[in-house]
């Protein structure tokens, strides 16, 4: 069944992903459907059962969310249309009446563990950690008596009949998770001047300086990389693809020419979308404030590329 009004997300109810999804204005008019995993949420989009899916892709403490990176790199192509940034702080959720000294087992999503590791060592040094499919699913397991406590959003307590024993838990101040809204391929969102372009690239062959060659396609055109991660392709040890975010939009001449250069030199390039960067206070990876237009180096503006192309045409016509 195809639905243009259904959005899926990493569930169950009460996840940070749901909280991020509900910050989107259109969420108020969509049917929001929790899914058991990132692959399940994205497969619903591929099959047409949902118009889009919101999934986590990057955390400021733990880095890339590998399930999302790998799903976007494989299978039927999908495209990112927007992103959401959500500040993350955990609550320790317990069944009513549980004291801190009663807690012997704790659970949460694997990405949550590095964000609360120091707190655990200081406050529950003997507690055994076991991962769950999501933080909210960990809360469900606590309700069922499988674990003594779960790290989840405080807002999940009421959903699962639990109590927040401790709130505001985080090892790193201002920890954030970035979520992306993913749909089927179509024309990218319009250029805003403060955009991000995402792609995956595969090596043509393994030789000294291969990665440097790919990075130079960005560098010589003044395109700032915001993130690059290697992921195994599953084709054997030492075989990797590279997940990349860069500043700019595919309609920017410098970004378009960088992508064309990669298409010539890489075995494969998968374009994952150009979309507005989430606006927030603070400095981004490239030095520009997030949500603001990045500085363009001399010689890398659209006007510079147009002038260079015009000069070349005049040379070819004998008019230089």
């Amino acid at each position: 069944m195809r639905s243009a009004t259904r959005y899926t997300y990493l569930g169950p109810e009460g996840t940070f992903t749901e909280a991020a999804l509900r910050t989107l204005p259109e969420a108020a008019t969509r049917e929001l459907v929790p899914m058991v995993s990132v692959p399940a949420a994205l497969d619903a989009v591929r099959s047409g059962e949902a118009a889009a899916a919101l999934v986590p892709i990057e955390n400021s403490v733990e880095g890339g969310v590998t399930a999302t990176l790998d799903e976007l790199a494989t299978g039927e192509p999908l495209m990112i249309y927007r992103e959401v940034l959500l500040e993350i702080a955990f609550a320790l959720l317990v069944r009513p009446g549980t004291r801190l000294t009663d807690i012997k087992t704790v659970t949460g999503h694997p990405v949550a563990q590095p964000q609360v590791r120091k707190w655990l060592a200081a406050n529950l040094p003997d507690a055994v950690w076991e991962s769950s499919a999501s933080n909210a699913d960990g809360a469900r397991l606590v309700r069922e008596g499988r674990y003594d406590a779960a790290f989840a959003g405080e807002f999940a307590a009421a959903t699962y009949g639990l109590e927040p024993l401790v709130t505001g838990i985080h090892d790193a101040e201002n920890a954030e998770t970035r979520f992306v809204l993913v749909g089927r391929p179509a024309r990218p969102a319009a250029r805003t001047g403060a955009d991000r372009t995402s792609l995956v690239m595969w090596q043509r062959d393994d030789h000294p300086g291969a990665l440097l060659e790919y990075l130079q396609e960005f560098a010589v055109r003044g395109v700032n990389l915001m993130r690059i991660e290697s992921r195994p392709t599953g084709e054997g040890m030492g075989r990797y693809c590279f997940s990349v975010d860069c500043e700019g939009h595919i309609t920017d001449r410098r970004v378009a020419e960088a992508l064309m250069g990669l298409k010539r030199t890489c075995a494969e390039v998968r374009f994952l979308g150009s979309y507005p960067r989430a606006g927030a206070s603070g400095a981004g990876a490239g030095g520009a404030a997030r949500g603001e237009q990045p500085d363009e180096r001399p010689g890398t503006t659209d006007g510079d590329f147009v002038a260079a192309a015009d000069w070349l045409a005049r040379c070819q016509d004998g008019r230089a």
Side-chain angles (χ1 to χ4, degrees):
M1 179 177 63
R2 293 184 175 270
S3 176
T5 61
R6 182 179 297 131
Y7 280 6
T8 57
Y9 65 91
L10 176 61
E13 294 182 10
T15 59
F16 286 110
T17 309
E18 181 188 10
L21 178 55
R22 291 188 181 278
T23 67
L24 300 180
E26 62 266 35
T29 60
R30 301 294 191 272
E31 178 189 3
L32 308 184
V33 181
M35 306 298 283
V36 298
S37 65
V38 167
L42 296 179
D43 282 344
V45 179
R46 290 187 171 107
S47 68
E49 296 176 9
L54 194 83
V55 291
I57 194 169
E58 181 183 11
N59 177 265
S60 61
V61 176
E62 182 66 358
V65 178
T66 57
T68 300
L69 297 179
D70 293 345
E71 276 296 309
L72 293 177
T74 58
E76 186 180 342
L78 295 169
M79 185 175 289
I80 300 171
Y81 287 94
R82 64 185 304 173
E83 66 179 18
V84 177
L85 285 175
L86 188 71
E87 290 193 8
I88 303 296
F90 295 92
L92 188 68
L93 304 187
V94 299
R95 292 182 296 277
T98 301
R99 299 168 300 177
L100 201 63
T101 54
D102 298 328
I103 297 174
K104 307 302 180 186
T105 57
V106 295
T107 187
H109 191 275
V111 174
Q113 186 179 19
Q115 302 179 64
V116 299
R117 185 182 294 120
K118 293 179 182 178
W119 188 94
L120 265 175
N123 297 275
L124 293 170
D126 299 322
V128 176
W129 171 283
E130 291 193 29
S131 294
S132 52
S134 69
N135 297 311
D137 192 55
R140 178 185 63 82
L141 295 173
V142 171
R143 180 185 64 187
E144 295 176 358
R146 296 271 300 276
Y147 302 102
D148 297 324
F151 287 96
E154 184 178 355
F155 48 81
T159 301
Y160 295 98
L162 302 177
E163 294 180 349
L165 185 61
V166 184
T167 61
I169 301 172
H170 48 72
D171 288 349
E173 294 289 337
N174 303 316
E176 293 179 311
T177 294
R178 183 165 69 97
F179 302 84
V180 289
L181 187 68
V182 180
R184 295 177 67 83
R187 184 179 295 274
R191 179 183 183 276
T192 68
D195 303 290
R196 183 193 305 264
T197 292
S198 298
L199 61 129
V200 185
M201 56 190 188
W202 285 259
Q203 287 180 275
R204 188 178 301 278
D205 58 76
D206 187 16
H207 62 271
L211 179 57
L212 177 60
E213 293 172 5
Y214 306 147
L215 298 181
Q216 285 177 331
E217 298 290 351
F218 296 101
V220 298
R221 296 173 177 89
V223 178
N224 184 51
L225 288 187
M226 307 176 74
R227 181 186 61 84
I228 180 168
E229 297 185 49
S230 62
R231 293 296 303 152
T233 63
E235 299 172 350
M237 293 295 293
R239 302 296 298 274
Y240 295 92
C241 62
F242 299 93
S243 177
V244 175
D245 289 342
C246 69
E247 281 184 339
H249 194 275
I250 193 171
T251 59
D252 294 334
R253 292 289 292 267
R254 65 186 188 281
V255 175
E257 292 205 9
L259 295 185
M260 286 192 291
L262 292 170
K263 184 62 178 176
R264 292 195 311 270
T265 56
C266 293
E268 182 183 353
V269 178
R270 175 173 285 197
F271 173 64
L272 296 179
S274 291
Y275 47 95
R277 296 167 60 188
S281 61
R290 291 172 301 184
E292 296 179 2
Q293 185 170 353
D295 293 333
E296 294 176 318
R297 294 173 55 198
T300 67
T301 68
D302 277 10
D304 293 325
F305 279 98
V306 170
D310 179 66
W311 172 82
L312 181 61
R314 287 187 284 108
C315 289
Q316 292 170 336
D317 291 342
R319 297 182 290 111

